[in-house]
């Protein structure tokens, strides 16, 4: 790509371009952080107004039935399902990703524990570079189970196959690495794990809404994920959990709250898990945050994940190419895999002053984020980013680097 | 009270009357269900607009720091603390009541298990009439711990003391019963349990914001509760958890997510619990629902729990008196205890056609709710209810009963 005009030409032929209008995008900002917090659908503000002023303030308690609040986790799960290769009735939107991972891991370990041939397995395989909270949750759960489980932390994706062996109870992986954007082979790893007798939990935090996921086609077991990144559900919007239909009858998890009960209003003093995916629910959900998830999902219904993936790869290809050619004089090192089949929808570059350069970018209106150590992370969200945005972002990056317009010694502030 | 005018006179001398103006109250409705879903503070709609349009849509990822999203659980906990007799730094607003109860129960059982003198205790004492989800959570947790715990379900409050014995690891009680409004003696039961070597978890779902709670004065151990009832946080708004300062250092719970980590942004691959009450946090919170909790808490800051309790008792006294005198010809039976020291802030009456009568009341604009079996439940929220509302509600109830204007055979629909 040799000029900004070439990028504008790409924008003019972009079939997803009209969807940009569905979002509120602040003037003068190039937002490359939709992989951390997605932008606001225009519909979100009016949906929140309706929910607060009509459903809560006016209709009050009646809205649990009248406005369908009680059914929201399943309704939203049904809308989300096609984006991850799942069917209606297999997904609920509820709680946080961490808590849903806890449920899935507990259920998976229990299924293995009940199988005489596998009850002795004590290993949970994951990557050392997995998003830390996933590892923390596995540590938390396994420390609390008296029989104890051991985490096997794998250092590189290439070592995963060998690490999954006859001692492995559960494999717990994030599909797209939050730092490097390395995309794991969901189908291949699942098949290998099954062949070894292990169950697999996939964290789709950086893949749901970013690229096609084929859970059922891959014969996957469990998945969890996030709705506030690529799915634009709003800050901290509730997460999701998917359970393969074949595991639903045996799906049991310790967070057995009343929303997961077979008869939540019968007020029985004994827990009886609900049928189907509802048994993954626990307590009352934050309705305002939950309802806003629908605004983002409704935009996805206007396109499909193949089109999104195609543009995502074009955007990340363009960004890598422009940075490597235009900023070649500067010590930037690509962290993200170059092959398409190994890459998610964000791109990370290492720079010795990565934190400072990122702060300078943000001051100039290019919002990416920083991850230890030295990594500048740029997210590419095909629904609302333009090819010309990519050009402009690299333009500003180049100017900052050429003029050394950053403060290498500035204090680091925590970033989310 | 012999007339509506007497009630109006009470309203004119009600020191809390001005606070009614802080809330949105639909025309023509007498809302006696604030114990299930509190009404909307007028500030909620504009706070949501600010959050969505400015903090999310415009400032985007920067709001985690700039708008203080990341600190909300602690900030709101600090504001809530005085309402329950706690101090700043002891409470966080986060997750659901069920999940917080899971954390507190797990932590309490662990503390007992680490004490050689108590490690053999296997009994969790609670009431059979406790809100079911509390029992479900205890069942869920104890079934998942290999060493196993047994629930001792007590049938009447008077039997609680005897049921708490040298085998009791943890006592887990709801301060005000969701159905009867029976108010347990928080101080006395806590003292007795401690004398027996047990720890106590209090569920304040129906007491936080309804009456003074003195957690520190009572030397209580743990508490959880709800913000969407008397605290007017919005539908399903996140719950709270309190940990006594003396237990904080030893507080450990299995839902160890990144928000509970000592250095959440260091991305360390090993969990290290944060200092203080932050270790009760788990994953990312639903920011919109969470932020709205502040609107309700800010209204409580304009009064105090003693004034609220005084009016609450006056309202429930009046309601009981009016129903029992004016509706004496009808088969209504008071379920709620008559003595002030045994009563929360709602009143329940049994009626053979309780469900049908409640539906008729709702159709006439008097919103209470129904709980199996045969119980009509009426919540009295001193911040926005008038004495004349109580008169008018009883007036309508009397008319419905006198004219038998209800359909005893109508189908029952699930109510929340």
């Amino acid at each position: 790509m040799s000029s900004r005009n070439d990028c504008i030409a790409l924008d003019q032929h972009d079939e997803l371009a009209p969807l940009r209008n569905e979002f509120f995008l602040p003037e003068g900002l190039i937002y490359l952080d939709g992989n951390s917090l997605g932008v606001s659908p225009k519909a979100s503000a009016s949906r929140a107004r309706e929910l607060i002023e009509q459903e809560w303030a006016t209709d009050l308690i009646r809205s649990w039935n009248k406005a369908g609040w009680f059914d929201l986790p399943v309704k939203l799960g049904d809308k989300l399902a096609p984006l991850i290769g799942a069917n209606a009735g297999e997904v609920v939107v509820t709680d946080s990703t961490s808590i849903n991972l806890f449920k899935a891991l507990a259920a998976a370990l229990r299924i293995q524990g009940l199988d005489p041939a596998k009850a002795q397995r004590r290993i949970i395989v994951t990557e050392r570079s997995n998003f830390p909270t996933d590892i923390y949750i596995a540590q938390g759960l396994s420390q609390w189970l008296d029989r104890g489980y051991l985490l096997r932390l794998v250092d590189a994706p290439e070592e995963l196959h060998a690490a999954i062996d006859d001692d492995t109870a559960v494999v717990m992986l994030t599909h797209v690495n939050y730092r490097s954007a390395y995309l794991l082979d969901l189908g291949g790893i699942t098949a290998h794990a099954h062949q070894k007798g292990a169950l697999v939990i996939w964290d789709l935090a950086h893949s749901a809404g970013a690229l096609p996921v084929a859970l059922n086609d891959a014969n996957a077991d469990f998945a969890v994920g996030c709705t506030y990144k690529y799915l634009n559900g709003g800050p901290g919007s509730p997460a999701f959990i998917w359970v393969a239909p074949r595991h639903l009858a045996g799906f049991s998890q310790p967070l057995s709250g009343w929303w997961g009960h077979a008869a939540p209003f019968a007020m029985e003093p004994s827990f009886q898990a609900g049928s189907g995916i509802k048994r993954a629910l626990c307590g009352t959900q934050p309705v305002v945050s939950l309802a806003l998830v629908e605004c983002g999902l409704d935009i996805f219904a206007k396109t499909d994940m193949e089109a999104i993936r195609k543009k995502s790869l074009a955007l990340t290809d363009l960004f890598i190419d422009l940075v490597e050619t235009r900023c070649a004089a500067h010590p930037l090192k690509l962290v993200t895999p170059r092959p398409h089949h190994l890459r998610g929808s964000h791109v990370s570059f290492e720079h010795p002053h990565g934190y400072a350069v990122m702060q300078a970018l943000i001051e100039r209106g290019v919002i990416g984020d920083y991850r230890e150590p030295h990594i500048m992370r740029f997210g590419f969200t095909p629904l609302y980013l333009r090819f010309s945005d990519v050009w402009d972002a690299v333009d500003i990056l180049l100017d900052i680097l050429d003029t050394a317009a950053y403060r290498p010694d500035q204090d680091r502030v925590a970033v989310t």
Side-chain angles (χ1 to χ4, degrees), chain A:
Chain A
M1 205 58 50
S2 52
S3 76
R4 189 171 195 276
N5 280 340
D6 294 338
C7 293
I8 290 172
L10 287 177
D11 288 330
Q12 282 162 348
H13 293 94
D14 172 15
E15 58 171 315
L16 295 180
L19 293 178
R20 178 174 164 89
N21 194 41
E22 302 279 339
F23 298 95
F24 181 85
L25 293 158
E27 281 293 315
L29 217 63
I30 300 173
Y31 191 65
L32 305 181
D33 213 5
N35 54 321
S36 184
L37 171 64
V39 304
S40 174
K42 283 180 183 165
S44 301
S46 54
R47 179 68 186 103
R49 197 157 50 242
E50 176 190 39
L51 205 147
I52 291 171
E53 296 179 13
Q54 181 63 41
E55 297 179 15
W56 176 18
T58 306
D59 297 338
L60 287 156
I61 193 74
R62 296 166 289 189
S63 288
W64 279 105
N65 292 312
K66 188 179 159 190
W69 290 351
F70 196 67
D71 299 321
L72 271 175
V74 171
K75 178 188 177 191
L76 297 175
D78 288 353
K79 284 199 177 195
L80 196 154
L83 306 186
I84 55 173
N87 298 309
E90 299 172 3
V91 187
V92 277
V93 177
T94 189
D95 295 330
S96 66
T97 309
S98 300
I99 284 171
N100 288 335
L101 182 62
F102 184 89
K103 298 171 189 168
L105 183 56
L109 291 176
R110 182 174 173 278
I111 289 171
Q112 297 291 67
L114 290 174
D115 182 340
K118 297 175 186 170
Q120 298 313 312
R121 296 176 177 226
R122 286 288 171 274
I123 302 292
I124 300 168
V125 171
T126 190
E127 287 191 282
R128 191 181 300 281
S129 66
N130 198 347
F131 189 64
T133 205
D134 291 30
I135 298 174
Y136 304 159
I137 286 290
Q139 288 172 344
L141 178 63
S142 53
Q143 280 164 13
W144 279 78
L145 296 174
D146 294 348
R147 58 186 175 281
Y149 287 87
L150 225 64
L151 259 100
R152 183 176 290 160
L153 298 176
V154 179
D155 285 310
E158 304 76 36
E159 297 165 19
L160 271 170
H161 271 250
I164 300 168
D165 60 20
D166 296 339
D167 294 329
T168 306
V170 172
V171 180
M172 180 193 85
L173 294 168
T174 298
H175 190 202
V176 174
N177 186 276
Y178 77 101
R179 192 154 39 190
S180 67
Y182 193 109
L183 170 64
L184 293 176
D185 174 11
L186 190 146
I189 292 171
T190 299
H192 173 71
H194 286 177
Q195 197 237 315
K196 294 288 179 182
L199 295 172
V200 191
I201 303 168
W202 289 100
D203 181 342
L204 306 177
H206 287 270
S207 33
L211 46 91
V213 182
L215 290 173
N216 276 319
D217 281 356
N219 203 27
D221 300 297
F222 307 95
V224 300
C226 168
T227 68
Y228 55 77
K229 298 176 184 288
Y230 292 94
L231 297 177
N232 309 295
S237 55
F240 65 85
I241 176 167
W242 171 82
V243 178
R246 69 183 176 284
H247 290 311
L248 271 175
F251 185 85
S252 176
Q253 52 96 4
L255 294 166
S256 48
W258 76 294
W259 273 41
H261 196 282
F265 298 101
M267 305 286 170
E268 291 165 0
S270 178
F271 187 76
Q272 209 61 38
S275 66
I277 191 63
K278 282 191 181 174
R279 56 180 57 193
L281 299 175
C282 178
T284 308
Q285 289 302 298
V287 172
V288 183
S289 284
L290 184 61
L292 296 184
V293 173
E294 192 164 12
C295 303
L297 293 176
D298 284 344
I299 302 172
F300 279 88
K302 300 181 182 192
T303 177
D304 62 78
M305 290 310 305
E306 298 300 333
I308 288 171
R309 176 62 169 166
K310 191 175 147 220
K311 182 173 171 189
S312 160
L313 286 170
L315 288 167
T316 50
D317 275 346
L318 174 64
F319 183 72
I320 292 170
D321 177 54
L322 288 178
V323 171
E324 294 193 328
T325 52
R326 301 187 68 203
C327 308
H330 299 282
L332 286 160
K333 187 183 149 209
L334 181 67
V335 173
T336 299
R338 220 171 283 271
H340 284 181
H341 73 281
L342 296 179
R343 187 199 308 165
S345 198
H346 64 272
V347 174
S348 294
F349 276 100
E350 250 184 51
H351 185 281
H353 300 296
Y355 180 80
V357 174
M358 181 51 73
Q359 299 317 303
L361 278 166
I362 292 170
E363 277 166 35
R364 297 275 296 269
V366 178
I367 314 278
D369 60 25
Y370 173 78
R371 286 294 177 266
E372 297 284 354
H374 310 306
I375 287 178
M376 296 190 287
R377 195 173 70 155
F378 303 89
F380 295 89
T381 47
L383 291 181
Y384 50 88
L385 276 184
R386 297 169 298 203
F387 293 93
S388 53
D389 292 328
V390 176
W391 179 275
D392 293 341
V394 176
D395 228 35
I396 293 169
L397 172 64
L398 178 61
D399 186 61
I400 288 168
L401 294 173
D402 280 350
T403 60
Y406 54 88
R407 301 183 297 277
D409 56 345
Q410 76 184 103
D411 287 341
R412 292 188 183 186
V413 180
V415 283
T416 308

